[in-house]
Amino acid sequence: MIDESRLAKLAAIRAAGVLPYAERYERTHTLIEARDLAAAQAGDQAAAGQPVRVAGRVLTRRAFGKLLFLHLQDGSGRCQVVLDAGVVGEDSVARFQAWVDLGDHIGVEGDTARTKKGEPSIWARDWTFLSKALRPLPEKWKGLSDGEARQRERYLDLVSNPGTRERFRFRTQFVRAMRRYLDDHGFEEVDTPVLQTKVTGALARPFRTQHNAMDMECVLRIAPETWLKQCVAGGFDRVYEVARCFRNEGMSPAHLQDFTMVEWYAAYWNYRDNMDFTEGLILHLIDSLLGTRLVQVGDVRIDFTPPWPRVSMRDLILDACGIDYATLVDADALRAAIAAKAIRLEAEGLDRMSRGNLIDQLYKKVSRPALVNPVFVTDHPIDLSPLARSNDDDPARVDRYQLVANGWELINAYSELVDPLDQRARFEQQVSARGAGDEDTLPLDEDYLRCMEHGMPPMSGWGMGVERFVALLTGQDNLREVTLFPLLKPLDGGPGEPDDTAAPPAPAADGKPTEQAPAEQMSTEHRALLGAPADDLDDAGLSWTAARALFDEWVTTPSLRRQMEHASVVMGAMARARGANEAAWRVLGLLHNLDFDRVKEPERHCLVAAEALRAAGLHPAGIHAIAAHNDKGLSATGIRCLSVLDHAVSAAEAVVGLVHASSQVLPSKDVADLKLKSLVKRFHKAGFAANVERDLIERCAGAGFELEAFLALALEALQAESVS
RNA sequence: GCCCGCUUAGCUCAGUUGGUUAGAGCAACGGAUUCUUAAUCCGUAGGUCCUUGGUUCAAAUCCAAGAGCGGGUACCA
């Protein structure tokens, strides 16, 4: 809800000739710099201060009539500002009281000094209005605590909860420090594709999307792995990427669908070199950013003191439950051993599960939850690692490790598989596993194989979930707490909180306000199809050329083509008269009867077109406007003529028929000879051109035109068109 | 996907066994105040109790369905 009193203040500011939204403000100090200057002074405001210019958001205010204390906050932190009528003048203080609300931004020019009570402050000599806030800040003491609000309106969380600000600052510093460390150790940062044609680099389900121009389905990457290894093949000996990845899978506190992974690869290293380097990197990050190797997450204390144990998965499981999977060579034997130990795995489809998956499930059940302090879990079974190098002594396992802490997998690393024949065999095994019903397998990647066939150096690398690590180091148990704007379902404009982006419904032709049809009256597909009404469009979503091409493809009957072209002309004139987007309005006019040649039934007319127009990219509100001109035929869908644009399309399409009919009865049959007076007369003569729907023409009122003015506008536009 | 929980003023929260006109603090508005820092004091205004339907003489409260969010679990690496 926009605050009425704030709007009134905004108006008062404007009325006084002051810009409520300033263009810029020259700062000399951040608030913390200014505060530190003041703090360094003697404890008395009489002491000569430093002149400063600062700016920030007004967070608190304590007014004593002629003396006013406030706290400003900028990116550095907070500082108290004192507005003393004896210094800035009584007018200035009064203006502040009348104009400034908590949440506004102001600039302050003054001198640093302490107050009588010793608070480091800035004594204003002048202040400047910088930006008016129309909505209030959250509670000033307790901040914003509602979890959903904190995610939906993260800016409020950031403004009012210092802990949130610090956490996201930490994330920035973490990534920055990691980049610096990698840069300092000979790594080069690259960017590889997010939009790709093949699922590659990990075992996960992708998000799918459509590439229109190339007419093909694409996927968003689940990992940058194979691209980075191709970089190494190309001669980047050490390479890394801070890679946004997308996995279309279940949500949980430890899984995001849209997350950041850092991956690096180093030529000539194996996974043991990798572990050594990783221990150094992580300790560097922790030491430089936290200053302690003890991290508290909830009740759990995690100790990063090195060296971190390196334990094979086989030993971990053996220790935890006495099962040695190395002696159990097939899935059934392992299943029997698990059953014999009365261990209950909760996963589904256990009886069909492969040996590798069973080992993985067993590890997750009996071992991983107990791993609190960092551990390198090494030597995974080969089944689950199609891109990792198999062990030279034991081909059933791979040279791989995961860094685990707090029960979370933080890093996944291996000696990379660079043998193209082995890699091809692994891919083929994946493909046959898929054939056997395992959905999450890697498809054969011929491009990647080809690269490997050209020769890759031995190498090792890893991927780290940035959110997981940052969450761990900031003591959070949910990754959303370290994601600035996590994905949330949109709220439809509920009562008291209307959708700010939707245009208000325009008055109907009779001048009474209309209401949007109840959503439940529309079928789901129609609702999706028709979109929300709008009074104007910033962008039709479809160029004139593209619209013309559709028009040529769909509309063949000459009279219909003429009618639609004329409607476009009238729409253009209406847009000009209203100062609306002429190009967009013309497109709507040209396309409004797109499917009329193909669809004759009134209850389907416009629906077929709507589908095609949506596919072509036309703005949903434009589709709504076009469909609304047949709202009688489409009444079952619940669509109604609501916005200015809706009314405009109806009026334009109908008036064209009246003008045409009127000009046809003239001796010359030329629209140039048609007089407005006669057009008006024929409008009111019901028998004349009876199938021209007069009530549609009257919808011009809903687009802001008097009837007669609208007829004049349409006539003039069509006459101008016919001469040109 | 399934199970459980939460949703009351812009924010933070009360609200008894179903019972008068749904309350408080902050924020807002009016007033007092030249050293406050969660300022204080006096006064005013602010509500679709998430939505819809039901039970009842009576619903924020009970029931049902739906929405959003959270937690668990499964799928999934």
Short mmCIF file of all heavy atoms in Angstrom, two decimals, chain B residues 31-49:
data_model
loop_
_atom_site.label_atom_id
_atom_site.label_comp_id
_atom_site.label_asym_id
_atom_site.label_seq_id
_atom_site.Cartn_x
_atom_site.Cartn_y
_atom_site.Cartn_z
P G B 31 0.86 20.12 14.41
OP1 G B 31 0.70 21.56 14.07
OP2 G B 31 1.99 19.34 13.87
"O5'" G B 31 0.88 19.97 16.00
"C5'" G B 31 0.05 20.78 16.79
"C4'" G B 31 0.13 20.39 18.25
"O4'" G B 31 -0.10 18.98 18.44
"C3'" G B 31 1.48 20.59 18.94
"O3'" G B 31 1.76 21.96 19.22
"C2'" G B 31 1.27 19.77 20.21
"O2'" G B 31 0.43 20.44 21.12
"C1'" G B 31 0.52 18.55 19.64
N9 G B 31 1.46 17.46 19.37
C8 G B 31 1.96 17.03 18.16
N7 G B 31 2.80 16.03 18.28
C5 G B 31 2.86 15.80 19.65
C6 G B 31 3.61 14.85 20.41
O6 G B 31 4.39 13.99 20.00
N1 G B 31 3.37 14.97 21.77
C2 G B 31 2.52 15.90 22.35
N2 G B 31 2.44 15.86 23.68
N3 G B 31 1.83 16.78 21.66
C4 G B 31 2.05 16.68 20.33
P A B 32 3.31 22.44 19.27
OP1 A B 32 3.27 23.91 19.43
OP2 A B 32 4.06 21.80 18.16
"O5'" A B 32 3.81 21.79 20.64
"C5'" A B 32 3.30 22.26 21.88
"C4'" A B 32 3.99 21.56 23.02
"O4'" A B 32 3.69 20.14 22.98
"C3'" A B 32 5.51 21.59 22.99
"O3'" A B 32 6.04 22.83 23.44
"C2'" A B 32 5.86 20.42 23.91
"O2'" A B 32 5.70 20.79 25.27
"C1'" A B 32 4.77 19.41 23.54
N9 A B 32 5.26 18.45 22.53
C8 A B 32 5.12 18.49 21.17
N7 A B 32 5.69 17.48 20.55
C5 A B 32 6.24 16.73 21.58
C6 A B 32 6.99 15.54 21.61
N6 A B 32 7.32 14.85 20.52
N1 A B 32 7.39 15.06 22.81
C2 A B 32 7.05 15.75 23.92
N3 A B 32 6.36 16.88 24.01
C4 A B 32 5.98 17.32 22.81
P U B 33 7.27 23.50 22.67
OP1 U B 33 7.48 24.83 23.26
OP2 U B 33 7.06 23.36 21.20
"O5'" U B 33 8.49 22.56 23.06
"C5'" U B 33 8.92 22.49 24.43
"C4'" U B 33 9.86 21.33 24.60
"O4'" U B 33 9.18 20.10 24.24
"C3'" U B 33 11.08 21.33 23.69
"O3'" U B 33 12.11 22.19 24.16
"C2'" U B 33 11.48 19.85 23.73
"O2'" U B 33 12.10 19.55 24.96
"C1'" U B 33 10.10 19.19 23.71
N1 U B 33 9.70 18.83 22.32
C2 U B 33 10.01 17.57 21.88
O2 U B 33 10.59 16.75 22.57
N3 U B 33 9.65 17.31 20.57
C4 U B 33 9.01 18.15 19.71
O4 U B 33 8.75 17.76 18.57
C5 U B 33 8.70 19.45 20.25
C6 U B 33 9.05 19.74 21.50
P U B 34 12.99 22.99 23.11
OP1 U B 34 13.13 24.38 23.56
OP2 U B 34 12.49 22.70 21.73
"O5'" U B 34 14.40 22.27 23.28
"C5'" U B 34 14.58 20.91 22.89
"C4'" U B 34 16.05 20.61 22.77
"O4'" U B 34 16.60 21.35 21.65
"C3'" U B 34 16.89 20.98 23.99
"O3'" U B 34 17.90 20.00 24.15
"C2'" U B 34 17.56 22.28 23.58
"O2'" U B 34 18.79 22.52 24.22
"C1'" U B 34 17.77 22.02 22.09
N1 U B 34 17.94 23.23 21.28
C2 U B 34 19.11 23.36 20.57
O2 U B 34 19.98 22.51 20.59
N3 U B 34 19.22 24.50 19.84
C4 U B 34 18.29 25.50 19.75
O4 U B 34 18.54 26.47 19.04
C5 U B 34 17.10 25.31 20.51
C6 U B 34 16.97 24.21 21.24
P C B 35 17.86 19.02 25.40
OP1 C B 35 16.46 18.54 25.51
OP2 C B 35 18.52 19.70 26.56
"O5'" C B 35 18.80 17.80 24.98
"C5'" C B 35 18.25 16.68 24.29
"C4'" C B 35 19.33 15.63 24.12
"O4'" C B 35 20.25 16.08 23.10
"C3'" C B 35 20.16 15.41 25.38
"O3'" C B 35 20.59 14.05 25.40
"C2'" C B 35 21.40 16.28 25.15
"O2'" C B 35 22.54 15.85 25.83
"C1'" C B 35 21.56 16.10 23.63
N1 C B 35 22.29 17.19 22.98
C2 C B 35 23.56 16.92 22.46
O2 C B 35 24.01 15.78 22.57
N3 C B 35 24.25 17.91 21.84
C4 C B 35 23.72 19.12 21.75
N4 C B 35 24.44 20.05 21.13
C5 C B 35 22.44 19.43 22.29
C6 C B 35 21.76 18.44 22.89
P U B 36 19.97 13.02 26.47
OP1 U B 36 19.05 13.76 27.36
OP2 U B 36 21.10 12.26 27.01
"O5'" U B 36 19.13 12.03 25.54
"C5'" U B 36 17.77 12.28 25.28
"C4'" U B 36 17.45 11.88 23.87
"O4'" U B 36 18.20 12.71 22.94
"C3'" U B 36 17.87 10.47 23.50
"O3'" U B 36 16.93 9.50 23.93
"C2'" U B 36 17.95 10.55 21.98
"O2'" U B 36 16.66 10.50 21.42
"C1'" U B 36 18.50 11.96 21.78
N1 U B 36 19.96 11.97 21.54
C2 U B 36 20.40 11.60 20.30
O2 U B 36 19.64 11.25 19.42
N3 U B 36 21.74 11.63 20.11
C4 U B 36 22.68 12.01 21.03
O4 U B 36 23.87 12.00 20.72
C5 U B 36 22.16 12.40 22.31
C6 U B 36 20.84 12.37 22.52
P U B 37 17.44 8.06 24.44
OP1 U B 37 16.23 7.28 24.72
OP2 U B 37 18.49 8.25 25.47
"O5'" U B 37 18.15 7.44 23.16
"C5'" U B 37 17.39 7.04 22.02
"C4'" U B 37 18.32 6.69 20.90
"O4'" U B 37 19.18 7.79 20.61
"C3'" U B 37 19.26 5.55 21.21
"O3'" U B 37 18.61 4.33 20.90
"C2'" U B 37 20.44 5.80 20.28
"O2'" U B 37 20.19 5.30 18.97
"C1'" U B 37 20.44 7.33 20.18
N1 U B 37 21.47 7.96 21.01
C2 U B 37 22.72 8.10 20.45
O2 U B 37 22.97 7.73 19.32
N3 U B 37 23.65 8.70 21.25
C4 U B 37 23.46 9.16 22.53
O4 U B 37 24.40 9.68 23.12
C5 U B 37 22.15 8.97 23.05
C6 U B 37 21.21 8.38 22.29
P A B 38 18.95 2.99 21.56
OP1 A B 38 18.61 2.98 22.99
OP2 A B 38 20.29 2.63 21.12
"O5'" A B 38 17.90 2.11 20.77
"C5'" A B 38 17.66 2.34 19.39
"C4'" A B 38 16.17 2.42 19.11
"O4'" A B 38 15.52 1.19 19.51
"C3'" A B 38 15.45 3.53 19.86
"O3'" A B 38 14.37 4.01 19.05
"C2'" A B 38 14.87 2.82 21.06
"O2'" A B 38 13.72 3.43 21.58
"C1'" A B 38 14.52 1.48 20.45
N9 A B 38 14.51 0.37 21.42
C8 A B 38 15.46 0.08 22.33
N7 A B 38 15.18 -0.97 23.05
C5 A B 38 13.96 -1.37 22.59
C6 A B 38 13.11 -2.41 22.94
N6 A B 38 13.40 -3.29 23.89
N1 A B 38 11.95 -2.54 22.29
C2 A B 38 11.66 -1.68 21.32
N3 A B 38 12.39 -0.65 20.89
C4 A B 38 13.52 -0.56 21.57
P A B 39 14.53 5.47 18.51
OP1 A B 39 13.30 5.78 17.81
OP2 A B 39 15.83 5.56 17.86
"O5'" A B 39 14.60 6.34 19.85
"C5'" A B 39 13.42 6.71 20.50
"C4'" A B 39 13.75 7.19 21.87
"O4'" A B 39 14.39 8.50 21.78
"C3'" A B 39 12.56 7.45 22.77
"O3'" A B 39 12.09 6.24 23.36
"C2'" A B 39 13.14 8.42 23.80
"O2'" A B 39 13.98 7.74 24.71
"C1'" A B 39 14.01 9.29 22.88
N9 A B 39 13.28 10.46 22.39
C8 A B 39 12.82 10.70 21.12
N7 A B 39 12.22 11.83 20.99
C5 A B 39 12.26 12.38 22.25
C6 A B 39 11.78 13.59 22.77
N6 A B 39 11.15 14.50 22.04
N1 A B 39 11.99 13.84 24.07
C2 A B 39 12.64 12.92 24.81
N3 A B 39 13.14 11.75 24.43
C4 A B 39 12.92 11.54 23.13
P U B 40 10.52 5.98 23.48
OP1 U B 40 10.36 4.65 24.09
OP2 U B 40 9.87 6.29 22.20
"O5'" U B 40 10.07 7.10 24.53
"C5'" U B 40 10.55 7.06 25.85
"C4'" U B 40 10.12 8.30 26.57
"O4'" U B 40 10.71 9.47 25.92
"C3'" U B 40 8.62 8.60 26.54
"O3'" U B 40 7.92 7.85 27.52
"C2'" U B 40 8.59 10.09 26.81
"O2'" U B 40 8.82 10.37 28.19
"C1'" U B 40 9.81 10.57 26.02
N1 U B 40 9.45 11.02 24.66
C2 U B 40 8.96 12.32 24.52
O2 U B 40 8.81 13.07 25.47
N3 U B 40 8.64 12.69 23.24
C4 U B 40 8.77 11.92 22.10
O4 U B 40 8.45 12.41 21.02
C5 U B 40 9.27 10.60 22.32
C6 U B 40 9.59 10.20 23.56
P C B 41 6.42 7.35 27.22
OP1 C B 41 6.07 6.41 28.29
OP2 C B 41 6.30 6.94 25.80
"O5'" C B 41 5.57 8.69 27.41
"C5'" C B 41 5.56 9.36 28.65
"C4'" C B 41 4.85 10.68 28.53
"O4'" C B 41 5.63 11.59 27.72
"C3'" C B 41 3.50 10.64 27.81
"O3'" C B 41 2.46 10.16 28.64
"C2'" C B 41 3.33 12.09 27.40
"O2'" C B 41 2.95 12.89 28.51
"C1'" C B 41 4.76 12.46 27.01
N1 C B 41 4.98 12.28 25.55
C2 C B 41 4.62 13.34 24.71
O2 C B 41 4.16 14.38 25.21
N3 C B 41 4.79 13.21 23.37
C4 C B 41 5.28 12.08 22.88
N4 C B 41 5.43 12.01 21.57
C5 C B 41 5.63 10.98 23.72
C6 C B 41 5.47 11.12 25.03
P C B 42 1.25 9.32 28.00
OP1 C B 42 0.54 8.68 29.12
OP2 C B 42 1.76 8.49 26.90
"O5'" C B 42 0.34 10.45 27.36
"C5'" C B 42 -0.22 11.47 28.19
"C4'" C B 42 -0.93 12.48 27.34
"O4'" C B 42 0.03 13.25 26.57
"C3'" C B 42 -1.87 11.92 26.29
"O3'" C B 42 -3.12 11.50 26.82
"C2'" C B 42 -1.99 13.09 25.33
"O2'" C B 42 -2.86 14.08 25.85
"C1'" C B 42 -0.56 13.62 25.33
N1 C B 42 0.21 13.03 24.22
C2 C B 42 0.09 13.61 22.95
O2 C B 42 -0.64 14.60 22.83
N3 C B 42 0.77 13.08 21.91
C4 C B 42 1.54 12.01 22.09
N4 C B 42 2.18 11.53 21.03
C5 C B 42 1.69 11.39 23.36
C6 C B 42 1.01 11.93 24.39
P G B 43 -3.88 10.25 26.14
OP1 G B 43 -5.10 10.04 26.93
OP2 G B 43 -2.93 9.13 25.94
"O5'" G B 43 -4.28 10.79 24.69
"C5'" G B 43 -5.40 11.65 24.55
"C4'" G B 43 -5.42 12.27 23.18
"O4'" G B 43 -4.10 12.74 22.82
"C3'" G B 43 -5.78 11.36 22.01
"O3'" G B 43 -7.16 11.05 21.96
"C2'" G B 43 -5.31 12.21 20.84
"O2'" G B 43 -6.19 13.29 20.63
"C1'" G B 43 -3.98 12.74 21.40
N9 G B 43 -2.88 11.86 20.97
C8 G B 43 -2.11 11.01 21.73
N7 G B 43 -1.22 10.36 21.01
C5 G B 43 -1.43 10.80 19.72
C6 G B 43 -0.79 10.46 18.50
O6 G B 43 0.13 9.67 18.32
N1 G B 43 -1.34 11.14 17.41
C2 G B 43 -2.36 12.04 17.49
N2 G B 43 -2.75 12.60 16.34
N3 G B 43 -2.97 12.38 18.62
C4 G B 43 -2.45 11.72 19.67
P U B 44 -7.63 9.68 21.26
OP1 U B 44 -9.07 9.53 21.50
OP2 U B 44 -6.69 8.59 21.65
"O5'" U B 44 -7.39 9.96 19.71
"C5'" U B 44 -8.08 11.03 19.05
"C4'" U B 44 -7.68 11.09 17.60
"O4'" U B 44 -6.24 11.31 17.51
"C3'" U B 44 -7.89 9.82 16.80
"O3'" U B 44 -9.24 9.68 16.36
"C2'" U B 44 -6.93 10.00 15.63
"O2'" U B 44 -7.44 10.92 14.69
"C1'" U B 44 -5.74 10.67 16.34
N1 U B 44 -4.71 9.68 16.74
C2 U B 44 -3.88 9.19 15.74
O2 U B 44 -3.98 9.53 14.57
N3 U B 44 -2.93 8.30 16.16
C4 U B 44 -2.72 7.85 17.44
O4 U B 44 -1.83 7.04 17.66
C5 U B 44 -3.62 8.40 18.42
C6 U B 44 -4.56 9.27 18.04
P A B 45 -9.83 8.22 16.07
OP1 A B 45 -11.28 8.41 15.78
OP2 A B 45 -9.40 7.30 17.13
"O5'" A B 45 -9.11 7.78 14.72
"C5'" A B 45 -9.45 8.43 13.48
"C4'" A B 45 -8.40 8.09 12.44
"O4'" A B 45 -7.09 8.34 12.99
"C3'" A B 45 -8.34 6.63 12.01
"O3'" A B 45 -9.29 6.35 10.99
"C2'" A B 45 -6.91 6.49 11.51
"O2'" A B 45 -6.76 7.06 10.23
"C1'" A B 45 -6.17 7.38 12.52
N9 A B 45 -5.66 6.61 13.66
C8 A B 45 -6.16 6.51 14.92
N7 A B 45 -5.45 5.75 15.72
C5 A B 45 -4.41 5.32 14.92
C6 A B 45 -3.30 4.49 15.15
N6 A B 45 -3.06 3.92 16.33
N1 A B 45 -2.46 4.25 14.12
C2 A B 45 -2.71 4.82 12.94
N3 A B 45 -3.70 5.63 12.59
C4 A B 45 -4.52 5.84 13.63
P G B 46 -9.88 4.87 10.83
OP1 G B 46 -10.85 4.91 9.72
OP2 G B 46 -10.30 4.41 12.17
"O5'" G B 46 -8.63 4.01 10.37
"C5'" G B 46 -8.09 4.16 9.05
"C4'" G B 46 -6.79 3.39 8.93
"O4'" G B 46 -5.93 3.75 10.03
"C3'" G B 46 -6.92 1.88 9.04
"O3'" G B 46 -7.20 1.32 7.76
"C2'" G B 46 -5.55 1.45 9.55
"O2'" G B 46 -4.62 1.33 8.49
"C1'" G B 46 -5.14 2.65 10.42
N9 G B 46 -5.33 2.41 11.85
C8 G B 46 -6.39 2.78 12.63
N7 G B 46 -6.25 2.43 13.89
C5 G B 46 -5.02 1.80 13.93
C6 G B 46 -4.32 1.21 15.02
O6 G B 46 -4.67 1.13 16.20
N1 G B 46 -3.11 0.67 14.61
C2 G B 46 -2.62 0.70 13.33
N2 G B 46 -1.43 0.13 13.13
N3 G B 46 -3.25 1.25 12.31
C4 G B 46 -4.44 1.77 12.68
P G B 47 -8.52 0.44 7.52
OP1 G B 47 -8.67 0.30 6.07
OP2 G B 47 -9.60 0.97 8.36
"O5'" G B 47 -8.11 -1.00 8.09
"C5'" G B 47 -6.95 -1.67 7.61
"C4'" G B 47 -7.12 -3.16 7.72
"O4'" G B 47 -7.00 -3.53 9.12
"C3'" G B 47 -8.47 -3.69 7.25
"O3'" G B 47 -8.29 -4.85 6.48
"C2'" G B 47 -9.23 -4.02 8.54
"O2'" G B 47 -10.12 -5.08 8.41
"C1'" G B 47 -8.07 -4.38 9.48
N9 G B 47 -8.36 -4.17 10.90
C8 G B 47 -9.45 -3.57 11.46
N7 G B 47 -9.41 -3.53 12.77
C5 G B 47 -8.22 -4.16 13.09
C6 G B 47 -7.63 -4.42 14.34
O6 G B 47 -8.06 -4.14 15.46
N1 G B 47 -6.42 -5.08 14.22
C2 G B 47 -5.84 -5.44 13.02
N2 G B 47 -4.67 -6.07 13.10
N3 G B 47 -6.38 -5.19 11.83
C4 G B 47 -7.56 -4.56 11.95
P U B 48 -8.35 -4.73 4.90
OP1 U B 48 -7.06 -5.18 4.42
OP2 U B 48 -8.85 -3.37 4.56
"O5'" U B 48 -9.43 -5.79 4.46
"C5'" U B 48 -10.65 -5.95 5.16
"C4'" U B 48 -11.15 -7.36 4.97
"O4'" U B 48 -11.54 -7.53 3.58
"C3'" U B 48 -10.11 -8.44 5.24
"O3'" U B 48 -10.75 -9.61 5.72
"C2'" U B 48 -9.56 -8.77 3.86
"O2'" U B 48 -9.00 -10.04 3.72
"C1'" U B 48 -10.84 -8.63 3.03
N1 U B 48 -10.59 -8.36 1.62
C2 U B 48 -10.99 -9.32 0.72
O2 U B 48 -11.54 -10.35 1.07
N3 U B 48 -10.71 -9.05 -0.58
C4 U B 48 -10.10 -7.92 -1.07
O4 U B 48 -9.93 -7.81 -2.27
C5 U B 48 -9.71 -6.96 -0.08
C6 U B 48 -9.96 -7.22 1.21
P C B 49 -11.17 -9.80 7.18
OP1 C B 49 -12.05 -10.97 7.24
OP2 C B 49 -11.60 -8.50 7.69
"O5'" C B 49 -9.77 -10.16 7.84
"C5'" C B 49 -9.09 -11.34 7.37
"C4'" C B 49 -7.96 -11.60 8.28
"O4'" C B 49 -8.13 -10.88 9.53
"C3'" C B 49 -7.82 -13.07 8.67
"O3'" C B 49 -6.43 -13.37 8.76
"C2'" C B 49 -8.47 -13.16 10.02
"O2'" C B 49 -7.96 -14.18 10.82
"C1'" C B 49 -8.08 -11.78 10.61
N1 C B 49 -9.03 -11.35 11.63
C2 C B 49 -8.67 -11.45 12.97
O2 C B 49 -7.55 -11.90 13.25
N3 C B 49 -9.53 -11.06 13.92
C4 C B 49 -10.72 -10.59 13.56
N4 C B 49 -11.55 -10.21 14.53
C5 C B 49 -11.12 -10.47 12.20
C6 C B 49 -10.25 -10.87 11.27
#
